[in-house]
Amino acid sequence: MNIYKPELVEIMDIIQETPDIKTFKLQFVSKKMREEFSFLAGQFAEYSVFGEGECTFCIASPPTRTEYLECSFKIAGKVTGALNKMNKGDIIGLRGPYGNHFPLEQMEGKNVVFIAGGIGLAPVRCIIWNVLDLRDKFKDVTIVYGARSVSDLVYKRELEEWKKMDGVKTVVTVDPGGETPDWTGEVGFVPSIVEKVAPASENSIAIICGPPIMIKYTFPVLEKLGFTEDNMITTLENRMKCGLGKCGRCNIGNVYVCKDGPVFSYKEMLELPQEY
Amino acid sequence: MKLMKIEKGNLSKLMEHLKKDNFRVIGVTPDGKRFSEKFDETLNFMQSDTPPTSISFKEHFFLKTEALFYYKNNNGAIDLKEPVIDERKTVVIGARPCDTASLPILSKVFNWDYADDFFNRRVENSIIIGMKCNYQDDYCFCNEVGLSQNSEKGSDIFLIPDGDAFIAKTITDKGNKFIEEFAIFFEEYTGNPPAENKNGHDEKKFDYESVKKWLDNNFEHKFWDEAGETCLSCGQCAFVCPTCHCFDIVDEQCGTCAGVRAKNWDACQFSLFTKHASGHNPRDSREKRYRQRISHKFKYYNDKFSEILCTGCGRCSRGCPVSTDILELLEEIDQIAHSTTN
Amino acid sequence: MDQLRSVCRQAISENKAAFIIGYTEDKHHHLKPFIAHNVEETEKLTFNCNAVNNLAVFIHRFHNPSQGKIGIVLKPCDLKAINALVQENRVKREDLYVIGVNCSGVVKDQNKEFSKENTQIKCRSCASKTPAWFDVVVGESAEFELPEDDMAILMKQIDEMTPEQRLEFWNAEFEKCLKCYACREVCPMCYCEQCIADKTEPRWIESSSTTRANFTWNMIRAFHQAGRCIGCGECDRVCPADIPLSLLNRKMGMVAFKEFGYRHGTDMNAPTLIGTFSTSDHEEFIR
Ligand SMILES: Cc1cc2nc3c(=O)[nH]c(=O)nc-3n(C[C@H](O)[C@H](O)[C@H](O)COP(=O)(O)OP(=O)(O)OC[C@H]3O[C@@H](n4cnc5c(N)ncnc54)[C@H](O)[C@@H]3O)c2cc1C
Ligand code: SF4
Ligand code: SF4
Ligand code: SF4
Ligand code: SF4
Ligand code: SF4
Ligand code: FES
């Protein structure tokens, strides 16, 4: 088998989330793949634009919804730039799923706290829907999401949907200066909003994804609230090419983010050498 | 294991015969630099006391550029085509232990959960005729990484020079079958069995275990600042190395709507290797990159696969533009390790 | 080389230089680049006929004017690189403390004794053996016999080839290239922050190592060195595939001299060839 050869997927729909972030709804061209493809929340895939190359995104839709596969990407360079120019009906490539996943089983029967910043909501959205689709298995759900400004918020319609749900506390914030006159949400950086929302740490598990700086300042806040090192879960991003543990660039010490990650507990993260 | 004998003249004839038989035969080029199909047909390289080639033979198993598939875009309909791999049986002749051992070592990463068939098929398709080594210079350290001048690791047939002939030792079934198939070129060996697999020199230049232990505990250490200070961040060391296996994946257009996705050699010493699209680079200095090189070879790979990612061939050091000597650095680590534990 | 060490010691202790880029001897009795950061480390500096590296390449890697001046040990031939870099505004003369060495030739192969056969070809074109300028100079230069210029012989052979033969010759050479970029990294004149070979949007040079892509890479590097190469031969020395790279650059340099009477790196105050507009230029498109 050729492990480097992607499967073909068709772009069924494109949603412009923010000026530089888009969500693609994808469907496998092959019927067999549509039936057989399965993954777990937190896993990622390699997406290709033929002629431009591949890049890495998490799968942003939950495993509980199989009609489409979704990914959200921010324009960053060559391949994301090319993806940005693609239209509904175009064909791209997909290899995966790769990597480990969020500890869904460990989360069962617990309160779950989701904290995300910017496009970091993409992997978190996957697990949020996964949890909400299996609502009975979990206790209280808290979602704290922030972006630089109102126009940088992704999945706006879903944020509204979550706000209306029972047993789900959704707090959306923008960085100071990023608010619009009619903004009704919070204003402030994610760590301070988390401090304000103060989710209970008792029987809780927190999932945190976002820019490194946000993650860095959120951990101490959660620790103060009583979260333990193995009850705080995050994802790490490193430059990747193969996703298969072979090309040699994603390692942090002897941990390969593409195989042993991208999901790590804060405890595991602390054990890694400082090279990420 | 079986012992046979082959005269040097017969070995040449065997190679000629194989070529006619549509084998891909790979030996050392006349300048002694490299393994190639255009090898020195006089088999002058079948001397065991010359330096190893400057570029390892890995380029015949892990290609510097490997076509992964071809794509074609017909007005939006994408067509992917598998590449055609040269399926000819391959015979590699005259590789030293520090080359042959790299195949089983590399096989670990190329089969870590996902099997890289490009590498696997090439290895499966090959008969590796290794040769005992009698060379030894200040850059070599095969003994220190668990190999020796007599290591048969990775060979299917192992040749031991015996006057004007070679004792041919079969190591694998594949090697056995090969000798059976080409029996007319071989004779029975009636002499004493060659000396047991023994290390070339008893005194070790450094102690791997203490180097490993030091690496386990010293990710941060001023040693790294000095080790990589004058490194130029080129790819020489990785590209001549039999065990380096990093690669990049790129699309190369041929015309406007067709092209190839290729897997190309890459190296951790290049400054762009780990650079994120955001501009952040976890290994943004030569020192950090050099630490990765040593740590990957002598710690990480061993942690993961129980193999040292180095055969001690010394190629990287002999060719380094700024004379970075990996052995010297390992010796230094060994010394630091000892001075801090005693 | 006590004289060298004492000069370097003084340079640091008297704050003439923040650190010294020089040579040290390794256990193989080869010389390799070494950075002396303090007075103690200057004890490790040395110089002899094994000092093959052109240290000018490190200027790009350690250039931080706020630290103080860069002390650098330079052979007369390496000084050309500094001239050229000053001409190209990469470094300022006053940011350097140049420790010139009188040179008696350097070896081709550090494993062998210095001899007529074992001398770098570039030593043939070294007119001076004493540095043209410096802040301080050390050592003695002695006369030595020059080796045969096998590159010139090869160049003559190539000149006599038909274009098809020439293409075949270079294709065969470039096919060997591994794309390790050692030639670029070791070259004092290859200092672009982002090399065109690394540009991905758009991709100018395919990163694969096919004959075609290797050809593009090597030719583009040669073009970018046209009239800029100072002939230190470092690219030749380090190429693991043994491609006679400096042949191309030397040829370009010869053309530049023939057409414009210009040699890069001979005068740090001269305007560069590429950067000069002249109404007497014989190409029309430029006038
Ligand atoms: C596990 C994981 C999950 C991710 N999930 C998402 C997600 O859900 N959404 C999302 O938007 N992003 C995600 N990312 C980040 C995403 O992978 C990158 O933003 C994307 O790959 C950028 O690709 P590009 O081709 O557009 O950029 P490139 O053009 O490859 O890179 C742009 C930058 O990289 C540098 N560069 C160019 N060529 C090279 C080279 N050959 N080697 C090294 N550096 C080079 C350049 O300096 C350039 O500035 C994820 C990353 C990981 C690891
Ligand atoms: S060959 Fe030498 S200079 Fe080049 S990357 Fe390796 S250690 Fe650095
Ligand atoms: S690291 Fe150096 S010594 Fe070790 S196998 Fe590679 S080239 Fe040989
Ligand atoms: S040493 Fe560097 S180039 Fe070689 S395999 Fe390890 S990470 Fe890759
Ligand atoms: S191209 Fe080669 S010879 Fe010319 S300056 Fe650069 S390294 Fe020296
Ligand atoms: S040094 Fe030689 S092999 Fe390496 S990139 Fe340059 S020409 Fe190619
Ligand atoms: S992405 Fe290639 S090894 Fe992890």
Side-chain angles (χ1 to χ4, degrees):
Chain A
M1 210 198 65
N2 186 343
I3 53 174
Y4 303 99
K5 202 171 106 187
E7 291 292 333
L8 300 180
V9 288
E10 184 179 339
I11 303 173
M12 307 305 286
D13 202 4
I14 299 175
I15 299 144
Q16 184 89 42
E17 302 282 357
T18 76
D20 62 353
I21 299 173
K22 273 183 184 170
T23 297
F24 279 0
K25 278 189 192 300
L26 304 166
Q27 203 170 61
F28 284 103
V29 170
S30 121
K31 185 162 172 281
K32 188 164 168 279
M33 281 305 293
R34 281 204 292 271
E35 282 159 8
E36 287 175 5
F37 187 85
S38 71
F39 69 99
L40 296 164
Q43 288 193 291
F44 65 91
E46 292 294 329
Y47 300 77
S48 31
V49 181
F50 300 101
E52 300 293 338
E54 286 186 306
C55 58
T56 318
F57 310 132
C58 67
I59 302 175
S61 55
T64 41
R65 301 179 181 190
T66 51
E67 192 184 351
Y68 299 115
L69 210 58
E70 290 176 355
C71 69
S72 300
F73 63 91
K74 189 178 179 136
I75 303 167
K78 190 177 171 74
V79 184
T80 46
L83 277 173
N84 182 48
K85 293 196 197 107
M86 305 212 77
N87 300 311
K88 215 160 124 172
D90 285 350
I91 304 285
I92 62 172
L94 186 145
R95 290 192 286 130
Y98 298 130
N100 68 354
H101 51 87
F102 289 117
L104 199 68
E105 278 170 24
Q106 193 191 327
M107 291 156 67
E108 279 180 22
K110 290 193 177 147
N111 303 314
V112 274
V113 182
F114 299 106
I115 302 165
I119 194 168
L121 187 56
V124 181
R125 171 200 190 226
C126 167
I127 180 91
I128 291 178
W129 280 123
N130 198 165
V131 164
L132 295 178
D133 286 346
L134 309 167
R135 191 66 191 88
D136 301 345
K137 294 191 173 172
F138 307 88
K139 297 189 133 159
D140 292 346
V141 173
T142 309
I143 300 169
V144 178
Y145 173 58
R148 257 194 330 239
S149 72
V150 176
S151 65
D152 288 315
L153 294 166
V154 296
Y155 310 128
K156 291 192 184 73
R157 47 197 195 283
E158 288 163 61
L159 293 171
E160 293 308 316
E161 211 175 322
W162 295 335
K163 274 186 199 158
K164 292 187 195 115
M165 284 184 173
D166 288 335
V168 180
K169 179 169 186 176
T170 305
V171 181
V172 182
T173 179
V174 294
D175 291 355
E179 67 271 28
T180 49
D182 54 356
W183 175 245
T184 55
E186 297 282 338
V187 175
F189 295 107
V190 170
S192 41
I193 303 300
V194 173
E195 200 164 8
K196 199 164 133 193
V197 174
S201 57
E202 176 76 22
N203 193 31
S204 295
I205 192 159
I207 289 181
I208 309 118
C209 294
I213 185 93
M214 179 208 101
I215 297 184
K216 189 177 158 197
Y217 287 106
T218 305
F219 282 137
V221 171
L222 289 173
E223 265 184 315
K224 231 166 51 195
L225 292 169
F227 282 83
T228 58
E229 284 168 4
D230 41 349
N231 277 337
M232 295 187 270
I233 314 290
T234 187
T235 58
L236 287 175
E237 270 185 20
N238 252 2
R239 192 173 176 84
M240 292 185 183
K241 283 283 176 177
C242 69
L244 303 159
K246 315 223 182 295
C247 77
R249 76 194 63 225
C250 71
N251 71 304
I252 303 171
N254 54 16
V255 167
Y256 278 66
V257 178
C258 71
K259 295 266 294 106
D260 309 315
V263 178
F264 294 91
S265 69
Y266 184 47
K267 182 161 181 245
E268 290 164 326
M269 220 177 114
L270 288 175
E271 283 161 10
L272 295 175
Q274 286 297 310
E275 201 178 60
Y276 49 86
Chain B
M1 187 205 62
K2 208 159 93 185
L3 288 179
M4 299 292 280
K5 187 171 169 170
I6 185 163
E7 295 290 337
K8 202 169 170 193
N10 268 348
L11 195 59
S12 299
K13 283 190 197 133
L14 171 59
M15 294 306 132
E16 263 168 56
H17 178 86
L18 290 171
K19 277 197 197 169
K20 285 203 197 101
D21 221 8
N22 202 27
F23 273 77
R24 196 163 69 109
V25 185
I26 289 167
V28 178
T29 50
D31 60 7
K33 289 275 176 182
R34 197 162 179 166
F35 285 85
S36 166
E37 279 186 74
K38 296 176 211 147
F39 62 91
D40 173 8
E41 298 193 0
T42 65
L43 299 194
N44 201 20
F45 58 86
M46 291 301 288
Q47 296 170 10
S48 56
D49 56 356
T50 50
T53 54
S54 24
I55 301 173
S56 84
F57 77 6
K58 103 180 148 187
E59 60 177 321
H60 297 288
F61 301 95
F62 168 43
L63 273 52
K64 48 184 191 166
T65 286
E66 175 105 68
L68 298 172
F69 59 84
Y70 295 89
Y71 57 83
K72 214 189 210 147
N73 188 338
N74 289 322
N75 291 324
I78 304 278
D79 185 27
L80 303 186
K81 214 175 83 206
E82 291 282 343
V84 188
I85 292 196
D86 188 347
E87 295 280 8
R88 282 179 298 165
K89 282 244 171 273
T90 301
V91 171
V92 179
I93 169 112
R96 305 286 172 85
C98 59
D99 251 319
T100 59
S102 68
L103 294 179
I105 296 174
L106 283 176
S107 168
K108 294 271 170 73
V109 65
F110 282 130
N111 288 288
W112 181 24
D113 290 356
Y114 303 91
D116 183 317
D117 282 346
F118 295 95
F119 176 81
N120 288 346
R121 267 155 74 190
R122 288 206 168 77
V123 176
E124 277 159 22
N125 245 327
S126 304
I127 304 285
I128 311 293
I129 307 181
M131 178 173 64
K132 177 183 159 56
C133 177
N134 283 315
Y135 178 79
Q136 176 79 237
D137 70 13
D138 294 349
Y139 295 103
C140 297
F141 59 101
C142 57
N143 288 188
E144 286 69 14
V145 289
L147 298 168
S148 81
Q149 295 177 311
N150 305 305
S151 284
E152 296 146 1
K153 187 172 178 176
S155 289
D156 294 305
I157 297 168
F158 192 70
L159 299 181
I160 301 153
D162 183 25
D164 265 347
F166 296 94
I167 305 171
K169 202 168 164 185
T170 56
I171 312 295
T172 60
D173 278 351
K174 225 170 23 170
N176 232 337
K177 286 207 191 89
F178 180 85
I179 291 198
E180 274 165 22
E181 193 179 340
F182 300 99
I184 47 162
F185 296 94
F186 294 86
E187 330 162 13
E188 287 303 321
Y189 176 70
T190 48
N192 294 327
E196 267 306 287
N197 189 348
K198 183 175 156 290
N199 283 352
H201 55 90
D202 296 326
E203 196 155 303
K204 292 257 197 297
K205 297 179 182 176
F206 65 88
D207 172 32
Y208 173 71
E209 290 309 322
S210 49
V211 168
K212 170 73 168 65
K213 223 157 115 201
W214 187 87
L215 291 174
D216 285 342
N217 298 308
N218 289 282
F219 186 79
E220 304 286 348
H221 194 283
K222 72 173 190 337
F223 167 80
W224 299 118
D225 298 339
E226 288 156 27
E229 187 172 28
T230 57
C231 169
L232 297 170
S233 296
C234 67
Q236 187 277 149
C237 46
F239 288 7
V240 301
C241 174
T243 56
C244 275
H245 56 262
C246 286
F247 59 84
D248 191 7
I249 298 177
V250 296
D251 284 10
E252 308 276 35
Q253 289 281 75
C254 320
T256 46
C257 48
V260 59
R261 177 156 303 162
K263 181 173 145 208
N264 294 335
W265 285 359
D266 208 341
C268 64
Q269 302 302 292
F270 289 137
S271 59
L272 293 177
F273 189 63
T274 49
K275 192 173 165 201
H276 293 195
S278 63
H280 170 66
N281 191 349
R283 291 185 216 129
D284 54 0
S285 69
R286 300 182 292 275
E287 291 78 4
K288 286 181 192 165
R289 294 192 284 270
Y290 204 75
R291 173 175 63 193
Q292 162 69 12
R293 180 166 176 79
I294 300 261
S295 306
H296 186 217
K297 292 194 163 288
F298 300 96
K299 169 174 161 55
Y300 307 155
Y301 204 81
N302 198 356
D303 287 344
K304 280 236 166 307
F305 304 118
S306 308
E307 293 267 12
I308 304 171
L309 191 64
C310 172
T311 63
C313 69
R315 285 182 172 98
C316 53
S317 312
R318 287 186 206 99
C320 174
V322 296
S323 310
T324 303
D325 180 349
I326 197 166
L327 170 59
E328 202 176 344
L329 292 169
L330 292 163
E331 288 169 342
E332 218 175 304
I333 293 180
D334 194 22
Q335 273 167 22
I336 303 174
H338 276 99
S339 66
T340 44
T341 50
N342 292 343
Chain C
M1 271 286 123
D2 283 344
Q3 194 195 357
L4 173 74
R5 283 185 284 268
S6 91
V7 159
C8 292
R9 208 179 311 128
Q10 258 178 35
I12 292 190
S13 62
E14 293 169 14
N15 269 329
K16 290 179 193 150
F19 56 90
I20 311 273
I21 305 172
Y23 301 92
T24 194
E25 188 169 82
D26 67 12
K27 69 167 192 205
H28 313 283
H29 305 293
H30 296 176
L31 291 203
K32 64 172 183 184
F34 174 72
I35 318 295
H37 300 90
N38 50 43
V39 170
E40 292 78 68
E41 285 177 353
T42 59
E43 290 310 311
K44 293 192 187 156
L45 292 168
T46 189
F47 185 89
N48 60 40
C49 63
N50 282 338
V52 290
N53 288 70
N54 183 349
L55 301 179
V57 70
F58 289 105
I59 299 247
H60 311 302
R61 289 167 168 80
F62 293 97
H63 192 32
N64 179 3
S66 66
Q67 273 184 302
K69 288 192 187 197
I70 304 176
I72 182 165
V73 177
L74 291 167
K75 304 192 287 286
C77 57
D78 301 339
L79 210 53
K80 281 190 254 176
I82 302 294
N83 283 337
L85 294 172
V86 172
Q87 281 180 278
E88 296 184 8
N89 279 325
R90 270 300 288 192
V91 66
K92 292 202 188 74
R93 161 69 184 97
E94 55 273 23
D95 288 342
L96 302 176
Y97 181 73
V98 171
I99 301 143
V101 279
N102 290 314
C103 179
S104 310
V106 291
V107 297
K108 213 189 264 174
D109 179 354
Q110 295 203 47
N111 290 312
K112 296 190 190 128
E113 291 284 302
F114 182 78
S115 68
K116 184 178 163 190
E117 285 67 42
N118 190 25
T119 304
Q120 289 270 340
I121 292 171
K122 68 175 167 190
C123 296
R124 285 185 63 93
S125 57
C126 183
S128 49
K129 302 178 183 63
T130 56
W133 55 272
F134 44 76
D135 289 297
V136 54
V137 65
V138 298
E140 303 285 327
S141 70
E143 284 303 313
F144 56 95
E145 278 189 273
L146 289 165
E148 183 129 44
D149 191 346
D150 41 17
M151 277 292 183
I153 298 170
L154 188 54
M155 195 180 302
K156 193 150 167 277
Q157 286 170 359
I158 297 170
D159 280 341
E160 283 161 7
M161 288 178 184
T162 63
E164 291 75 31
Q165 287 170 325
R166 218 176 286 162
L167 184 66
E168 201 181 317
F169 172 86
W170 283 114
N171 265 334
E173 287 296 337
F174 293 152
E175 195 193 318
K176 303 190 294 191
C177 173
L178 307 174
K179 287 262 176 98
C180 71
Y181 302 123
C183 49
R184 172 184 79 187
E185 297 304 332
V186 83
C187 175
M189 303 312 295
C190 267
Y191 53 67
C192 292
E193 295 288 328
Q194 198 191 19
C195 176
I196 189 166
D198 292 334
K199 283 216 169 79
T200 56
E201 293 178 86
R203 198 165 273 277
W204 296 98
I205 306 179
E206 292 177 328
S207 70
S208 294
S209 178
T210 56
T211 308
R212 178 180 78 181
N214 291 350
F215 191 93
T216 325
W217 154 240
N218 285 285
M219 287 314 289
I220 289 192
R221 198 179 98 85
F223 283 144
H224 287 189
Q225 290 295 341
R228 292 184 59 242
C229 164
I230 50 89
C232 64
E234 284 287 84
C235 49
D236 262 5
R237 178 178 73 82
V238 303
C239 177
D242 276 341
I243 304 172
L245 293 166
S246 69
L247 202 59
L248 284 171
N249 307 320
R250 192 159 148 186
K251 182 77 195 174
M252 297 284 194
M254 284 163 70
V255 173
F257 188 70
K258 185 165 156 262
E259 297 290 320
F260 306 99
Y262 178 85
R263 241 184 218 124
H264 203 40
T266 45
D267 174 2
M268 76 169 123
N269 297 313
T272 61
L273 179 61
I274 306 288
T276 308
F277 172 78
S278 160
T279 45
S280 62
D281 200 293
H282 37 247
E283 290 298 341
E284 260 183 45
F285 73 90
I286 205 147
R287 271 182 272 137

